[in-house]
Amino acid sequence: MEGKLNCVIIDDEKHAVDLLADYIDAMPSLNLVKYFTDPLKALMDITIEDNIDILFMDVDMPGMTGLDLSLAIRYKTKYLVFTTAHSKYAIDAFGVQANEYLLKPISMPKFALMINRLLKSELQLKKEDKSEDFFFIKTDQIQKYVKVNFKDLVAVEGLNNYVKIHTVADIYVVYLTMKELELKLEGNSTFIRVQRSFIISTDHINKVEGATITLNHKLEVPLGTTYKKQFFTFMEKKTLRSTRGVPE
């Protein structure tokens, strides 16, 4: 639904599902897409196409715990909220990138406050995406500056004490560090680090073959071992697959 955050509930206790469903229905900013009482079914049925914004998940469930399930489907949701009667799982929950941790019994005020925190985060992300869409770099010529729009930035390549900035129109070598560029691009989901010396724009990926990423202008970037998991998680999220079975 336009303007609403899509929600999914995973909890083996139906009464807990019904309670969260009522809370979600009472919040005009939320929309319940689907729910599951079987974590294994959730593992098989939840897809990227569900466009999940918030996933509410119990921890103690038969067959597969919420912590184990989150390792497989965390990338399919923007926000992950654990709902459990046990505080002992809190550290483990945030270890799998949970955004919130709600202890049962969950009251409506507690639920509403948590949603308010997520909405503030969502609003802040939108403000950052809107305002931070370019930066200037200083060239080797006196008092000459060049504007670099994020949409035109293909890749940033580290060169010891310098960086090479690849854009759709030109290449610039600038006296900056990779860390400084990484901080500037932080929070913008378009950019991803794929090795120690390269940050690339996912908008400019043309193809991926094995461990080689080809960008615009035939720029080939080798994928670093440290960053493979993060990169292929992104690729899996963006890859269109048929939901039909494999033909016999």
Side-chain angles (χ1 to χ4, degrees):
M1 289 187 178
E2 188 70 25
K4 293 193 175 187
L5 296 180
N6 289 329
C7 304
V8 169
I9 303 169
I10 305 174
D11 197 312
D12 64 300
E13 297 178 332
K14 186 60 167 61
H15 68 86
V17 171
D18 292 340
L19 180 68
L20 285 177
D22 287 343
Y23 288 171
I24 290 170
D25 188 57
M27 303 287 288
S29 55
L30 304 182
N31 170 50
L32 181 60
V33 177
K34 56 179 70 173
Y35 70 85
F36 299 90
T37 54
D38 183 348
L40 295 176
K41 182 172 175 55
L43 175 64
M44 301 302 297
D45 289 359
I46 291 177
T47 68
I48 291 295
E49 288 70 29
D50 290 324
N51 293 317
I52 304 170
D53 294 299
I54 308 176
L55 176 59
F56 298 95
M57 184 154 53
D58 190 16
V59 178
D60 277 325
M61 294 184 289
M64 177 179 284
T65 70
L67 293 170
D68 290 336
L69 181 57
S70 68
L71 294 173
I73 64 173
R74 177 62 183 89
Y75 71 95
K76 296 180 181 179
T77 180
K78 185 181 295 184
Y79 301 108
L80 173 61
V81 178
F82 277 111
T83 58
T84 177
H86 307 285
S87 60
K88 63 182 179 180
Y89 297 118
I91 294 177
D92 291 333
F94 292 110
V96 292
Q97 298 180 306
N99 298 94
E100 294 283 348
Y101 190 90
L102 287 178
L103 279 175
K104 297 177 180 179
I106 301 170
S107 66
M108 183 57 182
K110 187 191 296 184
F111 181 84
L113 286 172
M114 181 275 298
I115 293 300
N116 187 54
R117 287 194 295 270
L118 293 186
L119 291 175
K120 284 182 178 179
S121 297
E122 189 74 3
L123 183 61
Q124 184 61 33
L125 284 174
K126 288 180 178 179
K127 284 182 178 179
E128 289 175 359
D129 286 344
K130 186 176 180 180
S131 61
E132 293 291 328
D133 57 1
F134 71 90
F135 59 89
F136 286 96
I137 54 173
K138 191 177 185 306
T139 70
D140 55 1
Q141 298 181 37
I142 297 176
Q143 293 186 333
K144 182 176 180 180
Y145 298 83
V146 175
K147 183 180 181 180
V148 177
N149 292 303
F150 282 1
K151 64 181 178 63
D152 298 329
L153 180 57
V154 177
V156 178
E157 180 181 358
L159 300 170
N160 295 323
N161 293 324
Y162 292 80
V163 294
K164 185 183 288 187
I165 296 177
H166 300 260
T167 71
V168 294
D170 215 334
I171 297 174
Y172 306 96
V173 177
V174 186
Y175 186 65
L176 289 168
T177 65
M178 284 291 286
K179 184 63 177 178
E180 288 167 331
L181 260 297
E182 188 174 36
L183 287 172
K184 183 62 180 177
L185 301 174
E186 191 175 34
N188 189 313
S189 59
T190 301
F191 298 95
I192 184 170
R193 194 160 191 166
V194 295
Q195 61 150 284
R196 189 171 60 86
S197 300
F198 266 99
I199 298 171
I200 67 170
S201 168
T202 56
D203 286 344
H204 293 284
I205 296 175
N206 284 330
K207 64 180 179 179
V208 179
E209 292 182 284
T212 301
I213 305 165
T214 303
L215 305 169
N216 285 350
H217 303 303
K218 298 182 179 179
L219 175 62
E220 293 188 349
V221 179
L223 179 59
T225 303
T226 305
Y227 302 93
K228 276 187 177 180
K229 183 176 180 181
Q230 176 189 7
F231 180 73
F232 283 115
T233 295
F234 158 77
M235 289 297 295
E236 180 66 26
K237 184 177 181 180
K238 293 296 184 180
T239 299
L240 182 63
R241 300 184 187 278
S242 175
T243 57
R244 296 172 295 172
V246 178
E248 295 184 358

